[in-house]
Amino acid sequence: MNVPEKYREYDELLKSKLDEYRYIHSLGVAKSARHLAELYGSDPEKAYFAGLMHDVMKNAAPEEQLQMIKKADIILSSSERLNRKLWHAIAGAAFLKLELNITDPDIIGAVRWHTTGKANMTTLEKVIYLADYIEPNRDFDGVEDLRRVVWEDLDRGLAMGLAMTVEEMKERGNPVHHNTLEALEYLRGHNHE
Ligand code: DGI
Ligand code: FE
Ligand code: FE
């Protein structure tokens, strides 16, 4: 009903793998990603699909996530191994590649980097990172400000989203992943003109 007919089998898969909260969030990310892609010149269909699938491994048991990562021959860095919140993005990208035979590197990258971001992101990667942050079901202090900036300017929105994550991690006493810091530094280095 909610998801276009051509994605029906993926919709069924998500319904079987995700709890209701995460499923509804995924639909929100898909729709926001499509709108952002239309606005910022990325492929709207790829954006919808990547948004739909970005959290596909989020509700899987940690052991299952690690298994999927191992199956894809990915070796986690020590900082990634220590933070299991980061696993679902890596495992999700591996799942798309290995189980769904998705070969588009931009779609795989968008899922892979949706939690931390990284330096020099593609437009699709930025779109998924931010759609995850501002989809309509998100409700946290500052989300309205972030939405406004994201709809005005993708890179300023990205810098704001990344900075909010850094602040949040500091408040919670969690280590900030180096990819998140590198994403911010990269944007700062490219914003002097
Ligand atoms: O999967 P979602 O909840 O939709 O969102 P997400 O993939 O951005 O995951 C958010 C979680 O990941 C949240 O609990 C905080 C954590 N996280 C994001 N960036 C970092 C991080 N945790 C650490 N330690 N360091 C980070 O840089
Ligand atoms: Fe996620
Ligand atoms: Fe998400």
Side-chain angles (χ1 to χ4, degrees):
M1 157 198 106
N2 239 315
V3 172
E5 178 59 24
K6 66 189 237 196
Y7 299 112
R8 198 173 51 83
E9 61 182 292
Y10 297 113
D11 186 43
E12 295 298 323
L13 179 76
L14 288 177
K15 276 188 191 137
S16 74
K17 287 181 77 74
L18 300 180
D19 61 39
E20 195 185 0
Y21 171 87
R22 188 61 49 183
Y23 173 72
I24 290 169
H25 162 69
S26 302
L27 296 189
V29 176
K31 287 180 195 169
S32 292
R34 184 168 55 202
H35 290 149
L36 286 170
E38 282 165 357
L39 182 62
Y40 290 117
S42 188
D43 184 324
E45 287 302 321
K46 280 193 201 183
Y48 186 90
F49 178 74
L52 194 63
M53 304 304 289
H54 80 288
D55 273 341
V56 64
M57 291 296 283
K58 182 83 176 186
N59 292 143
E63 274 311 314
E64 194 188 334
Q65 298 185 22
L66 283 182
Q67 263 172 30
M68 188 58 62
I69 290 168
K70 197 169 168 208
K71 198 170 162 187
D73 294 323
I74 296 164
I75 310 286
L76 294 177
S77 68
S78 54
S79 60
E80 285 164 342
R81 206 169 328 110
L82 284 168
N83 187 358
R84 61 171 66 185
K85 289 268 175 70
L86 306 180
W87 296 354
H88 77 284
I90 306 168
F95 182 86
L96 258 57
K97 224 190 266 187
L98 298 180
E99 307 295 323
L100 303 181
N101 300 315
I102 304 298
T103 54
D104 189 308
D106 210 12
I107 293 175
I108 301 293
V111 174
R112 169 68 184 83
W113 302 111
H114 86 263
T115 302
T116 60
K118 67 174 183 108
N120 197 9
M121 294 163 82
T122 67
T123 304
L124 186 67
E125 288 166 352
K126 295 173 185 177
V127 160
I128 299 302
Y129 182 89
L130 288 169
D132 189 20
Y133 233 129
I134 66 165
E135 61 96 0
N137 304 295
R138 290 288 196 202
D139 181 20
F140 54 85
D141 276 351
V143 72
E144 282 305 331
D145 289 337
L146 180 61
R147 283 193 182 111
R148 187 172 41 74
V149 176
V150 169
W151 292 110
E152 277 170 16
D153 184 310
L154 190 65
D155 278 346
R156 278 211 298 124
L158 181 61
M160 188 169 168
L162 290 162
M164 286 169 78
T165 298
V166 170
E167 281 313 304
E168 176 82 19
M169 293 300 111
K170 283 184 181 164
E171 272 168 35
R172 286 197 231 158
N174 292 338
V176 182
H177 196 271
H178 67 86
N179 283 133
T180 306
L181 296 173
E182 285 162 23
L184 260 178
E185 277 160 29
Y186 182 88
L187 285 172
R188 284 177 184 148
H190 287 253
N191 263 337
H192 291 315
E193 57 266 39

